[in-house]
Amino acid sequence: MNELMEIRRKKLQDLIDSGIDPYGGKFERTHHTKDIIDRFEELEETEVVIAGRLLSSRTHGKASFADLEDGKGRIQLYVRVDQVGEAAYELFNKLDIGDIVGVRGTVFRTKRQELSVRVKEVTVLAKSLRPLPEKWHGLKDVELRYRQRYVDLIVNPEVREVFVIRSQIIQALREFLIERDFLEVETPMLNVIPGGANARPFVTHHNALDMDLYMRIAPELYLKRLLVGGFEKVFEIGKNFRNEGISTKHNPEFTAVEIYQAYADAEDMMKLTEELFATIALKVKGTTEIEYGPHKISLAPPWPRIPMLEAVKQYAGVDLTGLSDEEARQLAKEKGLTIKPNASYGAVLDEFFDTFVEPNLIQPTFITEHPVEVSPLAKRKKDNPQVTERFEPFIVTWEMANGFSELNDPIDQEQRFRSQMEQRASGDDEAHMMDEDYIRALEYGMPPAGGLGIGIDRLVMLLTNSPSIRDVLLFPHMRPRILD
RNA sequence: GAGCCAUUAGCUCAGUCGGUAGAGCACCGGACUUUUAAUCCGGGUGUCCCGCGUUCGAGUCGCGGAUGGCUCACCA
């Protein structure tokens, strides 16, 4: 323990010795600091009771100033020895930055026009035993900011703001869907067969049943079972878990919304996507014109739509139309792409797209008509069964969402699963597993439907101009490390 | 998983050529009854991320490791 902490422990003991409970209980406030600032004229010279954390202090001998911050703002405290008495004044001056206190006093304005509270009584509510980072530079060390987010939140107000906006985004999303008659549901996160995405799952174990379970990688197959069951418009907001690498755009657990609408198709879901992004931006930012890094982005609908094959033709200057698997692989090699030896035509197209097209998609753009091999849950296009009625909107080069006309043909679905199983057998551990019960559900009849999944963390990154997913996660995943 | 970079006081950061470890803020003591990055006087509080090595001598050089950041790979 360092000297600074020893000094605070000593002060803690002094409080206890003088009969003061350093960790007080319920404290009745009459106002928040923000009320005093917003309604100063009305409250001037009236008594208020407020509470919060001391963030700075300026002592001047027989008078002292300090700043008190609560959940909604900050206000200056002013204490004079001739108004509170020697004992209370000494107690006040012994408080540390970081201590949580309750204050009774009157509202006034100082000579320098600072809105303040003239303290009459101070109650210690929580003695702080660790020093806070300095007020001017705050906490910069990103590792400490993520590991000790509570400290980051105390000293960096702009960080707090990001998480307020995150909450507003999710609220706006929920309102948007509920207004349109979607039903919010919850489906299992502990899965016997993880499905709905190509991803490696986390494995866990149920002791009483003595069986391994998987953390879900997507709620998709459950939500479509609900369409079978007769719910026509459903959505779920929740965590997905994928046992993959960590990066500025990937966290092992991330939040997504999945939306399903019976009797709709990919076209309807694209319209819903555009409208949803624009509505949320308007509600949270007040405009559909936003800035991300150096880019000015317009989220106003409609967004352009480009079939994947077209996009590759346009940006890579390569036409893959009608090529066989072998021809496609050959072309990939010529262009210097690294592909798996047995890569399908669809996988090659996907690779061309990732390399040559994706980095150019700054403004919102729907990429459509993904190959059937990489879209095992999407309905085939009527006039070209090699591609699907699928779309992915890209903004600032990121895939923001994924949607399609849902495959509701149980026989085709079973074949798609079998083909996935083959890929799995040949070493692709991200390929889908066979889900017999899902096939069974489809056999009862699922209405044609449009589906959409949106990565909420990326949406929040976009709308808060955050360069890393860790900046929009309160507690991003870190390797464990014990701080001193 | 690979490459590059970083790690020095509670925080933000300097540290030259390898020669006794520095600043600001915070903190402690003193002065000060309207300050607001208060001011003035005095005080440096340290496992220089860890280990091994080179050297008369390592914060500094070499090797290994830890953690983090960025890029790549995988993915959303």
Side-chain angles (χ1 to χ4, degrees), chain A residues 119-134:
Chain A
V119 175
K120 291 178 181 163
E121 186 187 5
V122 174
T123 309
V124 181
L125 298 174
K127 179 69 197 161
S128 166
L129 297 178
R130 287 181 181 269
L132 286 171
E134 65 149 311

Side-chain angles (χ1 to χ4, degrees), chain A residues 329-345:
Chain A
R329 284 195 290 266
Q330 189 55 41
L331 194 55
K333 264 182 222 161
E334 283 169 26
K335 287 286 174 178
L337 298 182
T338 49
I339 48 158
K340 290 173 187 160
N342 59 343
S344 65
Y345 168 83

Side-chain angles (χ1 to χ4, degrees), chain A residues 72-289:
Chain A
K72 295 183 176 178
R74 181 186 293 202
I75 198 155
Q76 176 170 266
L77 304 178
Y78 176 56
V79 192
R80 297 170 56 123
V81 64
D82 57 7
Q83 288 177 346
V84 296
E86 291 282 353
Y89 188 73
E90 195 179 331
L91 166 67
F92 187 87
N93 278 340
K94 273 198 170 173
L95 292 172
D96 286 308
I97 288 171
D99 287 354
I100 294 174
V101 298
V103 166
R104 186 171 59 83
T106 51
V107 174
F108 79 114
R109 192 195 289 272
T110 65
K111 278 181 193 163
R112 300 290 179 89
Q113 302 307 306
E114 178 83 7
L115 307 188
S116 307
V117 170
R118 190 183 285 111
V119 175
K120 291 178 181 163
E121 186 187 5
V122 174
T123 309
V124 181
L125 298 174
K127 179 69 197 161
S128 166
L129 297 178
R130 287 181 181 269
L132 286 171
E134 65 149 311
K135 56 193 165 189
W136 196 241
H137 296 92
L139 185 64
K140 287 244 171 61
D141 184 312
V142 288
E143 183 178 352
L144 287 180
R145 287 187 43 225
Y146 297 150
R147 284 189 195 282
Q148 297 189 268
R149 185 66 93 181
Y150 38 92
V151 178
D152 192 28
L153 290 166
I154 292 170
V155 300
N156 295 324
E158 68 282 6
V159 173
R160 222 162 17 196
E161 182 61 18
V162 165
F163 293 101
V164 171
I165 293 174
R166 183 182 174 114
S167 174
Q168 290 169 347
I169 288 169
I170 292 171
Q171 191 187 337
L173 166 69
R174 187 171 269 124
E175 283 169 1
F176 176 90
L177 292 169
I178 288 172
E179 275 168 17
R180 283 162 182 73
D181 208 25
F182 284 88
L183 181 75
E184 182 166 15
V185 297
E186 291 173 279
T187 65
M189 297 209 190
L190 294 175
N191 293 173
V192 175
I193 300 166
N198 290 78
R200 287 211 302 273
F202 285 95
V203 186
T204 185
H205 189 79
H206 191 291
N207 289 340
L209 297 178
D210 189 23
M211 66 181 295
D212 282 344
L213 291 171
Y214 299 97
M215 307 294 286
R216 78 170 174 200
I217 54 177
E220 172 156 355
L221 300 185
Y222 281 107
L223 292 172
K224 287 193 282 195
R225 283 176 172 93
L226 297 180
L227 297 182
V228 172
F231 291 118
E232 294 188 351
K233 294 173 115 183
V234 295
F235 74 101
E236 176 166 7
I237 298 171
K239 287 279 180 73
N240 294 336
F241 306 87
R242 299 191 185 172
N243 206 339
E244 286 155 0
I246 296 175
S247 78
T248 51
K249 288 170 196 63
H250 301 85
N251 196 62
E253 54 179 296
F254 65 98
T255 304
V257 59
E258 288 203 8
I259 305 162
Y260 293 87
Q261 179 172 351
Y263 309 107
D265 66 3
E267 184 58 37
D268 297 311
M269 300 318 275
M270 278 191 268
K271 285 185 186 133
L272 189 76
T273 305
E274 294 168 337
E275 223 183 304
L276 186 152
F277 273 68
T279 303
I280 290 175
L282 209 53
K283 205 169 250 178
V284 173
K285 305 276 294 179
T287 172
T288 55
E289 311 305 302

Side-chain angles (χ1 to χ4, degrees), chain A residues 57-74:
Chain A
S57 71
R58 297 171 289 285
T59 60
H60 289 258
K62 294 189 168 58
S64 296
F65 297 89
D67 295 317
L68 179 133
E69 185 168 276
D70 63 17
K72 295 183 176 178
R74 181 186 293 202

